[in-house]
Amino acid sequence: MQGGGNRKMSPKKGEKEPFHVIHKVPSGDSPYVRAKYVQLVLKDPEAAIVLFWKAINAGDRVDSALKDMAVVMKQQDRAEEAIEAIKSFRDCCSKQAQESLDNVLIDLYKKCGRIDEQIELLKQKLRLIYQGEAFNGKPTKTARSHGKKFQVSIKQETSRILGNLGWAYMQQMNYVAAEVVYRKAQWIDSDANKACNLGLCLIKQARYDEARTVLEDVLQARIMGSDDSKSRNRAEELMNELESLESNELLSTQLGHQNLEEVFVEGLDQLLSKWTPLRSKRLPIFEEISQFRDQVAC
């Protein structure tokens, strides 16, 4: 007899994985499960929103239902409704869910152009970090992107939030505040994307030499993310814009000097034109002769 042991049995040939594993939906038959099925398998977002509402009202996985419904609403251009839904029902969610709801809310504010509210919420998130309350008091958190999980540190999260805050200030054309925020973000955790945004801030302030230095860090691959083609292309575009602005500024300066010379010459011509008639008039002696000639004629 062979020794016993708990071995994981390999799937038999021809045996399919469970439906919920294949389609990445939760198992079961609750309102939330049905909503996810309609969203991901049937791909009917409007029907999914109705079912998410039913899940929330039934108290079924409210944390996930509210967040997922808001995301689907955003995709359906119903961002304003999503904002109101989160504000109305976030009190029904757990403390652990509040941070992810804030992240969704920030994206919704951005989508709707509600920049002031976006800035205020970003500042609130920074305050939580400084008070040690972010990540529920833990040094890292698990994040998800494109279906993959990864760990995010407090340092990385702080830099990310500062980057978002800088971008929000730029939408308000407050380039001075945006520059300050981006410099802080780069000091904490630099990357090529934020460097490009900082370079744009400096260009908008006509501080071309400083902008060139920042953009060269990307083009010379001196900071993280410089190997990303999207960031490099953007840095090249900004550098071209910078050089074009410098050329236009130089041309304007030269034209300004030329215009001053033209104004001087024009003024001199006008002055000479006033003097010229005086020189063309007859001298007083000829006036006297003319009068004498008229008298003789009489």
Side-chain angles (χ1 to χ4, degrees):
M1 292 180 61
Q2 292 181 341
N6 293 329
R7 291 185 180 181
K8 185 176 181 181
M9 300 295 292
S10 299
K12 295 179 181 179
K13 188 176 181 179
E15 192 177 70
K16 293 183 178 180
E17 290 184 315
F19 180 88
H20 70 277
V21 174
I22 296 173
H23 295 281
K24 297 180 180 179
V25 295
S27 60
D29 188 32
S30 67
Y32 176 73
V33 172
R34 288 195 291 273
K36 293 300 289 183
Y37 174 80
V38 170
Q39 177 198 358
L40 300 176
V41 180
L42 300 184
K43 299 188 183 304
D44 186 344
E46 292 297 337
I49 290 171
V50 173
L51 292 169
F52 280 129
W53 271 125
K54 289 184 177 180
I56 292 168
N57 291 326
D60 180 29
R61 304 193 196 184
V62 179
D63 292 2
S64 298
L66 181 58
K67 185 181 74 170
D68 291 348
M69 183 180 71
V71 171
V72 176
M73 282 181 165
K74 178 189 171 187
Q75 294 168 350
Q76 295 301 107
D77 290 326
R78 294 170 61 180
E80 292 285 357
E81 286 183 68
I83 290 171
E84 295 309 313
I86 291 177
K87 287 184 174 181
S88 299
F89 289 90
R90 69 181 307 164
D91 289 344
C92 301
C93 298
S94 66
K95 183 180 178 182
Q96 290 74 20
Q98 300 304 316
E99 187 177 340
S100 60
L101 288 173
D102 281 341
N103 291 335
V104 174
L105 205 49
I106 287 168
D107 286 340
L108 291 168
Y109 285 147
K110 185 177 180 179
K111 171 87 171 176
C112 298
R114 293 165 64 165
I115 307 300
D116 288 337
E117 290 162 287
Q118 182 186 358
I119 288 173
E120 184 56 39
L121 189 49
L122 287 166
K123 287 180 177 179
Q124 180 181 315
K125 287 178 74 67
L126 287 172
R127 281 193 292 271
L128 291 174
I129 289 175
Y130 296 147
Q131 293 167 3
E133 297 178 20
F135 295 5
N136 296 310
K138 298 177 181 178
T140 62
K141 74 170 182 177
T142 302
R144 186 189 298 271
S145 178
H146 304 293
K148 296 181 179 179
K149 292 182 178 180
F150 57 95
Q151 292 295 308
V152 177
S153 68
I154 287 288
K155 178 181 174 183
Q156 292 170 322
E157 180 71 356
T158 303
S159 181
R160 185 188 70 81
I161 295 171
L162 286 169
N164 289 338
L165 182 58
W167 183 253
Y169 278 132
M170 287 183 71
Q171 304 317 296
Q172 294 183 327
M173 291 186 284
N174 188 348
Y175 301 114
V176 174
E179 179 201 346
V180 171
V181 171
Y182 275 125
R183 286 194 184 280
K184 184 69 172 177
Q186 288 295 81
W187 180 77
I188 294 172
D189 188 32
S190 63
D191 65 51
N193 180 55
K194 291 195 290 289
C196 288
N197 290 337
L198 175 57
L200 179 57
C201 282
L202 295 168
I203 289 172
K204 292 295 186 181
Q205 297 178 70
R207 290 158 60 187
Y208 302 133
D209 289 340
E210 293 175 72
R212 180 178 287 102
T213 300
V214 171
L215 294 173
E216 282 177 349
D217 283 342
V218 179
L219 297 175
Q220 299 299 324
R222 289 195 284 258
I223 56 177
M224 187 176 66
S226 299
D227 55 344
D228 178 61
S229 59
K230 186 177 179 181
S231 294
R232 287 186 63 82
N233 290 340
R234 185 161 179 245
E236 288 172 358
E237 290 172 3
L238 288 170
M239 190 68 85
N240 291 335
E241 180 183 344
L242 186 157
E243 290 171 355
S244 176
L245 289 168
E246 282 185 318
S247 298
N248 291 338
E249 193 173 88
L250 179 61
L251 181 60
S252 298
T253 302
Q254 291 172 342
L255 289 174
H257 291 154
Q258 184 178 346
N259 289 338
L260 286 174
E261 292 175 2
E262 290 175 355
V263 169
F264 174 74
V265 172
E266 184 180 346
L268 187 60
D269 288 342
Q270 290 176 356
L271 183 61
L272 290 174
S273 69
K274 290 180 181 178
W275 290 351
T276 300
L278 292 176
R279 290 200 299 271
S280 66
K281 287 181 179 178
R282 292 181 296 179
L283 294 174
I285 184 64
F286 293 111
E287 296 294 337
E288 293 176 6
I289 292 174
S290 296
Q291 292 174 5
F292 179 73
R293 185 179 58 194
D294 293 341
Q295 290 174 1
V296 170
C298 293

